[in-house]
Structures are given as structure tokens and as C-alpha cells.
Amino acid sequence: MEDTFRTIAKASKAIYTEKRSKFIACAIPVLSAEEVKNEIEKLRKEYYDARHVCWAYMLGADRKDFRANDDGEPSGTAGKPILGQINSNELTNILVAVVRYFGGIKLGTSGLIVAYREAAAGAISEAGIIEKTVDCQISFSFEYPFMNDVMKTVKDLEPAILNQSYEMDCLMTLEIRKAKFEELRNRLEKVESLKFIE
């Protein structure tokens, strides 16, 4: 079962110029379409005098949620080549936006495709590519006397402890990579008094 995905380490910028047109590419880590919208609005405000803000994004570990936008450039000359760079690097949870300042000389369709592709590639390589795991969370409660049983499972499988409280009932939230999730759940199910919280 595939439980890793590739994304960028940090937000980055790269500048590409062609025949006096200036392309400012920004690669930004994002987790939702809402975030994408906010980032594009920020770029439109920052580069309010630019002719175009073209973009593409890819979301989710399965890489099924994506969109590309030419923002007034000829169809297929901007959003598609940007998305192409996201795809060729097999990235997700990323937005790449390219701001264009027109330099007075028309680039033609092939010129535009190259410029947007190169600008996007520059921003992606500046950002650095990392591999992340697809993680699942599990929350549960149990009675204090069974603490050792729970902690033994935690020690063996090494999930991250996101939350814990020890009142009358103990509460805990763990996070573990998807490939180990079933094993974690099965082992916790065997702990007396333990109840999962949906």
C-alpha cells in the first residue's frame, strides 16, 4: 500500500525573463482548494499591476484533485505547462502560480508554453522536494490501570502522540503512517476498557 507522497519543502520564488516579459513563479505548499484561492488572491494584490496570474495546483496523496488556469493567456499556454511541471515531479499539496509582466513583444504560443514551463520548473527546484507519509489519526479513552498496555503498543509501533490527558478516564490521540494504522488499531482493540472516539 502506497502511503507516501512528494511535495515541496517550503514556499519559493523564481524569475524567468523572455523578450522583456518577466515571469515570477511562486511554488506554495497548500492543503485545500480554499488555501489555493487565498494564496492566488494574495498574489493578485501583491502584483496588482501584472497582466496575468496563471496557476495550477494538485491536492491529496492520491493526486486526483487538480486544476489549471490560463488567466487570459491563450488556452493551454500557461496553466497546462505549469501543471505539467507539477506532474513530471510527481508532486501534490502544491500550488504553482506564475505572474507575468508583458514586455511589449509577443512570445507566440510555443514561446508562452516554454516560458511558463521554465518559470514553474525554477520555482519547484528552488522549493526543494520532500517525501511525506500519509498519516492517520486515532483517538481513544481507557481506564488508568491499563496505561501500561497502551504505552507498550505506543513504544512498539512509535506513533506520534498528538494529545494525552490523564483524568478519571485517560484520553489519547495518536498519529501513525497509513501502512501501520490497522496494526495499531488491532493492538489497541485488545486493551481492556479502551474505547475508540470517532
Side-chain angles (χ1 to χ4, degrees):
M1 174 169 56
E2 195 50 62
D3 70 343
T4 59
F5 60 91
R6 287 157 59 90
T7 188
I8 51 172
K10 62 181 195 307
S12 71
K13 257 192 189 117
I15 293 172
Y16 181 82
T17 49
E18 181 63 44
K19 293 183 181 159
R20 298 210 299 266
S21 270
K22 188 171 167 190
F23 297 84
I24 303 163
C26 306
I28 303 161
V30 287
L31 294 171
S32 67
E34 191 57 36
E35 235 181 300
V36 167
K37 213 175 101 191
N38 295 339
E39 292 295 341
I40 291 165
E41 275 169 24
K42 274 193 236 165
L43 290 170
R44 286 195 193 286
K45 279 197 186 96
E46 188 180 342
Y47 300 104
Y48 63 90
D49 53 346
R51 173 88 55 105
H52 306 280
V53 178
C54 307
W55 50 268
Y57 71 78
M58 177 78 69
L59 295 172
D62 56 4
R63 304 180 70 244
K64 285 194 170 76
D65 184 2
F66 59 89
R67 268 191 69 195
N69 186 312
D70 294 318
D71 191 38
E73 289 283 30
S75 177
T77 59
K80 253 201 186 131
I82 296 170
L83 187 61
Q85 285 304 307
I86 294 173
N87 276 327
S88 66
N89 287 287
E90 296 171 7
L91 298 174
T92 190
N93 295 353
I94 179 175
L95 161 68
V96 178
V98 181
V99 178
R100 179 186 181 196
Y101 284 96
F102 184 54
I105 301 167
K106 285 198 186 316
L107 301 181
T109 35
S110 58
L112 285 172
I113 290 168
V114 169
Y116 280 104
R117 186 181 66 216
E118 291 305 315
I124 289 169
S125 75
E126 280 297 310
I129 293 171
I130 52 171
E131 192 162 86
K132 284 190 166 180
T133 55
V134 179
D135 297 324
C136 300
Q137 289 181 12
I138 189 164
S139 300
F140 52 90
S141 65
F142 57 95
E143 290 163 17
Y144 195 81
F146 303 101
M147 172 66 81
N148 284 348
D149 301 344
V150 170
M151 291 321 285
K152 173 153 181 29
T153 299
V154 168
K155 189 172 170 281
D156 290 349
L157 296 178
E158 301 177 332
I161 299 173
L162 301 183
N163 221 315
Q164 52 189 340
S165 68
Y166 307 111
E167 309 295 315
M168 281 292 287
D169 257 351
C170 302
L171 294 172
M172 199 176 266
T173 300
L174 304 176
E175 185 173 74
I176 195 162
R177 60 187 290 178
K178 195 174 171 183
K180 287 177 152 184
F181 182 75
E182 279 308 307
E183 187 185 352
L184 177 66
R185 193 180 168 101
N186 293 341
R187 285 191 53 180
L188 289 170
E189 267 172 357
K190 295 184 179 106
V191 175
E192 238 176 289
S193 85
L194 187 139
K195 288 187 197 71
F196 293 110
I197 302 162
E198 292 310 325

